[in-house]
């Protein structure tokens, strides 16, 4: 579907980054962290200016601040479609929340239990489980990536499962490969093979900026993502089903006197950032604006609900698809370029986080060339260290080292076809 130039213009009008008089680079490094709309910046500023008090006291201003944090949790449950199936914890980063979660399982797992970790994971959802296995003496298995197709086969995963499997840690979208894992199918297969007591822990960091999260539909036990990559402040959110939280409720990292029945508070060690939470809550206004742009102002006068989330992300997908299709087509036309991941531009298959290598030129050389043109991107392993190490060892990166890694172009809905044209003009001179 063709997208009008005005649609992109209206989206970018919400972001100071694109309205500033300062000469900013063209931003194709969004997988590392997105820009935030003005409404989020204003909410954080207003909270710190007008409501910066401690929670839980009897005076009115404290009551207002307490309600804001409760409203943020409610918003995140709508955002993740978690309202009737579980709870949401807020934290400083995905890495921290998964580290806390894995530590909680130290007192739950038993000798002989097994943990399966997807090789394509960002280290945030790999390292904590590897450490847990080593410290607890649990069996550790890796679900490997095929170095030719760059896919993680569910058939290969099934071979790793056994009645002793207790944790399966996967990435919904690899921050290198960009492919969307069929999470609903994976959860179903794992539960059928092992039983309902196995826990699937999914990292949604690279998925969440592009598609609507739906934990109820997928049936996943734990799902975590970073809000600072989804147009919000530098925080994160962890969903857990009621059953999953109940399993570890006595292992939560917060103080001993906090009731284990208060799942969110028990796992929010030191409390969530108050001002950051105000910024997350304000994201609801931006999502309503996106939904209204796509549906001719239908959503401007109503409250925030699940329909708004789905409409907003339908708009995001619509805006991103032309960018993804154009760039992938350009890269496929270059005989010395190898796309690291699926080359299809179909929305059901991948998101516009696109990595590639050149057969004779290093990723570092290519990125330096791009950056000289005023375009922000990067190369390396992007903390998917185990994946890139495996690809280097298999010769899939054509002589690039682990630190050279891949060239990654990561786009989101506020990028434009014109920016993609600038990038292709730049790349044409070196590829």
């Amino acid at each position: 579907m063709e997208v009008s130039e005005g649609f992109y213009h209206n989206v970018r009008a919400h972001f100071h980054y694109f309205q500033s008089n300062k000469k900013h680079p063209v931003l194709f490094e969004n997988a590392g962290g997105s820009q935030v709309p003005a409404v989020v910046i204003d909410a954080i500023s207003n909270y710190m200016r007008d409501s910066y008090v401690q929670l839980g006291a009897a005076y009115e201003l404290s009551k207002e601040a307490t309600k804001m944090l409760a409203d943020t949790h409610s918003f995140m449950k709508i955002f993740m479609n978690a309202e009737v199936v579980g709870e949401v914890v807020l934290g400083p980063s995905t890495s921290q929340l998964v580290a806390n979660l894995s530590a909680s399982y130290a007192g739950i797992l038993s000798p002989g239990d097994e943990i399966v970790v997807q090789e394509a994971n960002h280290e945030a959802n790999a390292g904590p489980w590897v450490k847990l296995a080593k410290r607890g003496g649990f069996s550790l298995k890796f679900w490997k990536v095929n170095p030719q197709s760059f896919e993680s086969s569910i058939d290969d995963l099934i071979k790793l499962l056994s009645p002793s499997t207790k944790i399966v840690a996967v990435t919904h979208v690899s921050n290198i490969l960009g492919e969307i894992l069929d999470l609903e199918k994976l959860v179903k297969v794992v539960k059928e093979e092992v039983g309902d007591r196995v826990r699937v822990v999914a990292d949604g960091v690279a998925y969440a900026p592009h598609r609507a999260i739906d934990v109820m539909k997928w049936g996943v036990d734990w799902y975590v993502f970073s809000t600072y990559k989804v147009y919000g402040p530098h925080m994160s959110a962890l969903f857990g089903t009621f059953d999953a939280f109940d399993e570890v409720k006595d292992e939560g990292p917060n103080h001993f006197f906090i009731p284990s029945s208060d799942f969110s508070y028990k796992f929010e060690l030191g409390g969530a950032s108050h001002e950051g939470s105000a910024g997350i809550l304000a994201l609801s206004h931006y999502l309503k604006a996106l939904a209204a742009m796509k549906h001719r102002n239908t959503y401007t006068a109503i409250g925030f609900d699940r329909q708004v989330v789905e409409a907003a992300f339908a708009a995001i997908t619509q805006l991103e698809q032309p960018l993804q299709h154009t760039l992938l087509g350009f890269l496929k036309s270059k005989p010395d370029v190898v796309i690291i991941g699926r080359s299809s531009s179909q929305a059901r298959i991948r998101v516009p986080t696109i990595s590639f290598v050149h057969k004779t030129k290093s990723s570092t050389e290519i990125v330096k060339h791009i950056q000289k043109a005023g375009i922000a991107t990067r190369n390396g392993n992007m903390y998917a260290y185990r994946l890139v190490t495996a690809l280097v060892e298999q010769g899939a990166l054509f002589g690039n080292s682990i630190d050279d890694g891949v060239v990654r172009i990561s786009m989101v809905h506020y990028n434009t076809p014109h920016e993609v044209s600038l990038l292709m003009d730049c790349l044409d001179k070196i590829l």
Side-chain angles (χ1 to χ4, degrees):
M1 180 184 294
E2 188 172 335
V3 181
S4 71
E5 184 178 334
F7 198 170
Y8 293 104
H9 174 80
N10 291 340
V11 165
R12 287 161 74 91
H14 286 267
F15 293 84
H16 283 308
Y17 185 89
F18 305 112
Q19 310 305 316
S20 172
N21 291 327
K22 185 176 179 181
K23 178 68 173 175
H24 289 307
V26 174
L27 192 62
F28 283 125
E29 217 274 290
N30 297 286
S34 66
Q35 292 300 305
V36 295
V39 68
V40 171
I41 297 170
D42 292 344
I44 294 171
S45 175
N46 290 339
Y47 179 84
M48 297 188 76
R49 183 169 50 243
D50 299 328
S51 309
Y52 202 51
V53 297
Q54 288 303 299
L55 310 183
Y59 57 92
E60 286 304 313
L61 196 56
S62 179
K63 288 180 180 179
E64 290 177 16
T66 303
K67 182 179 183 301
M68 179 279 298
L69 189 61
D71 288 347
T72 303
H73 283 88
S74 296
F75 162 69
M76 286 309 306
K77 284 196 269 189
I78 295 171
F79 184 84
M80 301 179 81
N81 204 18
E83 289 180 284
V84 299
V85 291
E87 294 289 348
V88 171
V89 171
L90 301 175
S93 67
T94 291
S95 295
Q96 185 64 66
L97 286 178
V98 178
N100 292 349
L101 180 63
S102 68
S104 299
Y105 274 97
I108 303 298
L109 301 186
S110 303
D113 286 343
E114 298 175 351
I115 299 171
V116 177
V117 175
Q118 187 180 7
E119 188 176 58
N121 267 314
H122 184 287
E123 192 63 12
N125 199 31
W129 303 111
V130 172
K131 291 176 183 177
L132 175 63
K134 289 180 178 178
R135 290 169 180 168
F138 311 122
S139 175
L140 178 67
K141 300 177 180 179
F142 280 98
W143 178 26
K144 295 187 178 294
V145 172
N146 183 308
Q148 280 77 46
S149 68
F150 305 111
E151 295 181 56
S152 299
S153 165
I154 290 184
D155 288 340
D156 289 343
L157 173 62
I158 290 172
K159 296 173 186 175
L160 301 175
L161 302 175
S162 80
S164 298
T165 305
K166 294 298 187 291
I167 301 289
V168 178
V170 302
T171 182
H172 200 171
V173 168
S174 161
N175 71 330
I176 295 277
L177 305 175
E179 180 181 1
I180 301 173
L181 180 70
D182 188 341
L183 186 57
E184 184 178 8
K185 178 181 177 181
L186 180 141
V187 171
K188 183 179 180 181
V189 167
V190 169
K191 299 284 185 179
E192 286 176 348
E193 291 288 327
V194 180
D196 287 338
R197 299 302 294 174
V198 65
R199 298 302 177 206
V200 177
V201 185
D203 174 354
V205 172
Y207 178 93
H210 310 285
R211 305 286 187 273
I213 296 172
D214 195 340
V215 294
M216 184 168 69
K217 178 176 183 285
W218 302 327
V220 65
D221 300 288
W222 299 101
Y223 195 93
V224 61
F225 78 100
S226 296
T227 56
Y228 70 95
K229 301 187 182 188
V230 193
Y231 325 112
H234 202 295
M235 290 179 66
S236 58
L238 170 69
F239 159 81
T241 63
F242 293 123
D243 284 347
F245 266 118
D246 191 62
E247 185 176 59
V248 296
K249 64 183 180 182
D250 295 326
E251 306 295 330
N254 218 342
H255 308 306
F256 76 92
F257 52 82
I258 294 171
S260 58
S261 58
D262 190 347
F263 296 144
S264 293
Y265 196 17
K266 195 68 175 178
F267 279 80
E268 290 174 355
L269 181 61
S273 164
H274 301 170
E275 63 273 22
S277 297
I280 290 175
L281 183 58
L283 189 59
S284 63
H285 299 294
Y286 177 62
L287 294 175
K288 282 180 67 175
L290 270 177
M293 286 181 224
K294 181 172 176 58
H295 293 278
R296 301 179 185 275
N297 297 319
T298 304
Y299 293 93
T300 54
I302 66 173
F304 186 83
D305 60 17
R306 184 63 191 176
Q307 281 186 300
V308 173
V309 176
E310 292 175 358
F313 277 91
I316 285 172
T317 302
Q318 182 182 350
L319 289 158
E320 291 178 346
Q321 276 306 106
L323 314 180
Q324 176 168 282
H325 178 76
T326 300
L327 183 57
L328 284 168
F330 169 81
L331 293 173
K332 285 190 284 188
S333 75
K334 300 296 181 181
D336 289 330
V337 166
V338 177
I339 296 169
I340 306 302
R342 299 283 292 276
S343 60
S344 170
S345 62
Q346 293 183 53
R348 65 179 181 82
I349 290 178
R350 68 167 303 134
V351 302
T353 299
I354 299 169
S355 300
F356 68 90
V357 294
H358 194 275
K359 291 180 180 178
T360 63
K361 296 178 180 177
S362 75
S363 297
T364 300
E365 178 186 356
I366 293 168
V367 165
K368 285 181 178 179
H369 173 79
I370 296 170
Q371 289 172 347
K372 286 179 181 178
I375 299 172
T377 187
R378 71 189 311 156
N379 68 290
N381 57 66
M382 320 301 173
Y383 292 89
Y385 195 90
R386 298 170 197 273
L387 169 62
V388 173
T389 298
L391 294 178
V392 167
E393 290 175 349
Q394 294 286 338
L397 300 191
F398 294 91
N400 279 285
S401 68
I402 296 168
D403 290 334
D404 277 326
V406 300
V407 179
R408 186 178 72 179
I409 309 296
S410 53
M411 302 177 288
V412 292
H413 68 289
Y414 53 60
N415 288 118
T416 68
H418 175 66
E419 290 178 329
V420 174
S421 293
L422 291 175
L423 174 65
M424 292 189 300
D425 288 345
C426 175
L427 288 173
D428 220 12
K429 298 171 184 175
I430 193 170
L431 300 182

